[in-house]
Amino acid sequence: MLFAAPAAAHDNLLDSAPSAGDTVTTLEAVSLTFSGELIDFGQASFAQVQGPDGLYYETSCSTIDLNVLTTPVALGEAGTYTILWNAVSSDGHPISESFEFQYAPEEGTESALGWDLPACENERIRAQPGAVVAASPTPTQSAQDEATTPTPAKTDSASDGSSEGVVVLFMLGGVFVLAAVIAAAFWLIRARRRRTE
């Protein structure tokens, strides 16, 4: 009698938080629990969280603890979010799936900004399309700002400087006049001496 060898069963997803169809008001991480220990090499096992705007809301790469895969998230606006996951099961076979859940935050909850690319392996190149970047002033704007900037009013020190200049001129004039008087006196004295001789 011939007996068929039992087929090796691949691991499968046992539980997730959130689960498919769940509605959550807060969420800091997506957690997936599998039936067997996952093989982790080169980030082959991961979970991505995509929002209703098509952007990604993972804050960093997924981590694996035996058979549990965890991905930290910061969600944006309310709506339908999709979890796309891929895992390498204990037999080396990759498995993947996706499911949706609803996010309904409480009023006043701050919405995070989504990213154009998943978190893992894109840390240096991904960007947040909704982020507001402060624009640096253009040369034209700088010139306009300088043109509209009021010039400082003349202070009293400027007027004091001009008055000091006038005083200096008067003093110099007095010195010249005094020198002329002295020169004239010497000339008169010499002229008298010559007459007396």
Side-chain angles (χ1 to χ4, degrees), residues 47-51 54-61 113-129:
Q48 299 170 354
V49 180
Q50 200 167 15
L55 300 177
Y56 295 89
Y57 287 87
E58 316 96 56
T59 56
S60 65
C61 290
L113 294 176
W115 301 83
D116 59 347
L117 296 171
C120 202
E121 299 184 355
N122 296 307
E123 293 89 345
R124 296 183 180 179
I125 60 173
R126 70 178 188 154
Q128 293 178 302

Side-chain angles (χ1 to χ4, degrees), residues 7-19:
H10 302 312
D11 296 330
N12 61 318
L13 181 66
L14 293 181
D15 190 24
S16 68
S19 298

Side-chain angles (χ1 to χ4, degrees), residues 65-92:
D65 183 11
L66 300 177
N67 66 324
V68 179
L69 185 149
T70 304
T71 304
V73 298
L75 302 184
E77 299 292 338
T80 302
Y81 285 73
T82 303
I83 297 175
L84 308 94
W85 60 264
N86 186 84
V88 180
S89 59
S90 56
D91 64 354

